Amino acid sequence: MRTQIAIVGAGPAGLLLSQLLHKGGIDTIVLERRSRTYVEARIRAGVLEPGTVDLLTHAGADGRMRREALIHDGLAIAFGGRIVRVDLKALTGFPVTVYGQTEITQDLIAARLGHGGKLVFEAENVALEGFDGAHPHVSYESGGQTHDIACDFIAGCDGFHGVSRSCVPGSALTLYERELPFGWLGVLSETRPVDDELIYSRNERGFALCSMRSKTRSRYYVQCPISDAVEAWPDDRFWDELRRRIPAGAAERLVTGPSLEKSIAPLRSFVAEPMAFGRLFLAGDAAHIVPPTGAKGLNLAAADAGVLAAGLIAYYRDGDRTGLDTYSETCLKRVWRAERFSWWFTAMTHRFDDDAFGRRLQTAEFDQIMGSRAAATAFAENYVGMFRAG
Ligand code: FAD
Ligand code: DHB
């Protein structure tokens, strides 16, 4: 078998890259370890920057999003009885779009298959070879048989625990990492959201986030010890804890119901540099992780896919290697902006045990956003992802 680009991983980065390359006349094969059902049901992020919406539009995978997504002009940050609304639209000119990663994944898979795209689900033991030379190839097992794909380039879009990054010699990568001592417990429920916009809430008991997927489906998160098991959080305990951590008005409006999904995600900051090695390009979570507070993970994955697709299209169309040679540098600028913002917003809103000094700093940070239009604008620019990279 032969293709131009072998893509490892059918998450948002791999699927969007495949679809953007298809639009540019470039052939790809996507290899995914999990089943289609599993990939299409996975619940993850929900807030899209305008740049991500543009890329999905460019990819021709925006039809359902245009009909079903919610447009949010602002969000609220609550802080021990006080609350500030950040008017994203007024401060930056841009709103954010609330639309689930689950839906994006379904839409991109439908778009790929609708155009005859080659997606291999349940591809086992994927192995990347020869990418430090001129003839890369990728092997995998499926249905008891081993297959081999020869290609021009490999895109490693297989997430934080994938195989691609670990194929790069350790001496060629520099890893930057910070772990946080807590996780997020997330619940999805078929209930009316407490508000029309998101509420990020810093509380003495810990952080909470009120989000949504539609006007009838809510997504809530509470900060919890990373050692907790989901079984320790029956629905009643979750709803009681959430109610205690969010502003009084929202708590009164909270409608509870059975959880459709409940999971605990670790919080971590991680960057692998560079994001390219020979003919292998890493994109999305395979190269970097942010704590979810800034809603940046999915948006960074989409941005990487956009930069890589543009570089590959210029290479095949005009023989211009510039976009490929600068891929890592271009992406890392945005990545580090998002790392900084996500770390800062997490530090401002989460409970860190026994840190009285830190708590005073959190209050000062909140006062700054509340009292300064410049500070609120800086926050809004980072949240909507509209800033000059240089
Ligand atoms: P992924 O979505 O991880 O996709 C990688 C794909 O590669 C997967 O389908 C995987 O099955 C496949 N794969 C892995 N290994 C192999 C292999 N060896 N061979 C073939 N295929 C392989 N971000 C937010 O902004 N907000 C959130 O609330 C949020 N919640 C999250 C909750 C969890 C539990 C996780 C893990 C992440 C969350 N994120 C969140 C982050 C966001 O979902 C990711 O940044 C985004 O999914 C990155 O997309 P990706 O395509 O790079 O990687
Ligand atoms: C959601 C997740 C986030 O991490 C975030 O910052 C905002 C919203 C969500 O899943 O809806």
Side-chain angles (χ1 to χ4, degrees):
M1 246 185 300
R2 190 182 154 79
T3 188
Q4 288 170 291
I5 319 296
I7 299 176
V8 186
L15 291 168
L16 180 58
L17 177 65
S18 174
Q19 182 65 9
L20 289 169
L21 291 175
H22 167 75
K23 291 275 169 187
I26 296 170
D27 185 59
T28 65
I29 298 178
V30 180
L31 300 175
E32 166 60 47
R33 187 167 52 125
R34 302 283 196 168
S35 70
R36 180 176 174 186
T37 313
Y38 181 93
V39 170
E40 289 195 331
R42 208 163 29 194
I43 312 287
R44 285 185 175 174
V47 175
L48 310 186
E49 298 173 357
T52 303
V53 172
D54 287 350
L55 285 167
L56 289 166
T57 305
H58 200 61
D62 60 324
R64 184 159 72 114
M65 177 178 71
R66 300 276 169 206
R67 291 192 302 277
E68 296 181 8
L70 304 173
I71 306 297
H72 283 200
D73 288 349
L75 58 81
I77 307 173
F79 203 93
R82 293 188 293 159
I83 189 157
V84 61
R85 176 172 186 268
V86 180
D87 192 329
L88 302 169
K89 179 86 181 292
L91 294 168
T92 69
F94 297 98
V96 289
T97 298
V98 173
Y99 188 64
Q101 179 170 336
T102 315
E103 281 64 43
I104 292 175
T105 307
Q106 293 165 2
D107 296 349
L108 284 167
I109 289 176
R112 285 315 297 120
L113 297 177
H115 288 100
K118 283 166 251 162
L119 308 181
V120 181
F121 290 99
E122 299 177 71
E124 290 169 30
N125 295 322
V126 172
L128 291 61
E129 279 154 54
F131 53 82
D132 51 346
H135 303 288
H137 57 113
V138 179
S139 66
Y140 67 98
E141 288 167 26
S142 171
Q145 287 192 323
T146 303
H147 305 266
D148 195 70
I149 304 172
C151 55
D152 299 335
F153 299 96
I154 303 173
C157 305
D158 47 352
F160 183 66
H161 299 288
V163 67
S164 301
R165 191 181 63 251
S166 60
C167 290
V168 179
S171 58
L173 284 183
T174 307
L175 309 182
Y176 302 87
E177 185 160 22
R178 277 189 183 178
E179 296 231 9
L180 286 149
F182 39 74
W184 274 19
L185 169 66
V187 159
L188 185 72
S189 70
E190 203 61 47
T191 52
R192 190 163 46 83
V194 288
D195 204 278
D196 290 341
E197 295 179 344
L198 271 61
I199 304 173
Y200 290 84
S201 184
R202 186 257 184 216
N203 182 276
E204 279 300 319
R205 298 180 65 85
F207 171 80
L209 169 60
C210 305
S211 183
M212 66 196 72
R213 289 292 174 273
S214 72
K215 292 198 186 285
T216 55
R217 188 171 273 209
S218 299
R219 179 71 167 158
Y220 296 109
Y221 298 95
V222 295
Q223 175 188 355
C224 69
I226 192 59
S227 52
D228 272 12
V230 172
E231 293 70 36
W233 287 90
D235 287 1
D236 286 349
R237 180 178 175 208
F238 177 83
W239 293 121
D240 286 346
E241 190 59 38
L242 178 68
R243 197 178 283 111
R244 297 171 81 163
R245 293 188 188 187
I246 61 180
E252 276 162 32
R253 292 190 300 274
L254 179 66
V255 182
T256 64
S259 58
L260 303 178
E261 194 262 0
K262 196 188 287 165
S263 54
I264 295 178
L267 267 65
R268 164 189 292 126
S269 300
F270 172 86
V271 182
E273 293 189 14
M275 289 171 57
F277 182 82
R279 287 176 171 255
L280 168 65
F281 297 92
L282 301 176
D285 280 14
H288 41 74
I289 297 282
V290 283
T293 324
K296 291 286 159 236
L298 167 62
N299 292 296
L300 285 178
D304 290 352
V307 175
L308 184 51
L312 288 166
I313 290 169
Y315 171 78
Y316 282 108
R317 197 187 47 207
D318 310 323
D320 179 0
R321 276 203 66 107
T322 318
L324 296 182
D325 291 342
T326 55
Y327 168 74
S328 177
E329 191 190 334
T330 304
C331 291
L332 284 168
K333 276 196 176 157
R334 171 174 287 272
V335 166
W336 278 109
R337 292 287 297 258
E339 291 287 349
R340 187 207 70 80
F341 176 65
S342 303
W343 181 266
W344 168 83
F345 196 25
T346 304
M348 175 185 145
T349 50
H350 286 63
R351 188 194 148 89
F352 293 78
D353 287 337
D354 299 328
D355 187 9
F357 188 88
R359 251 173 268 179
R360 289 288 190 275
L361 290 183
Q362 290 180 326
T363 307
E365 296 282 5
F366 180 78
D367 289 345
Q368 175 90 342
I369 293 178
M370 191 121 186
S372 155
R373 187 178 168 91
T377 304
F379 174 93
E381 284 178 354
N382 280 283
Y383 194 83
V384 303
M386 301 309 259
F387 43 74
R388 246 186 285 245

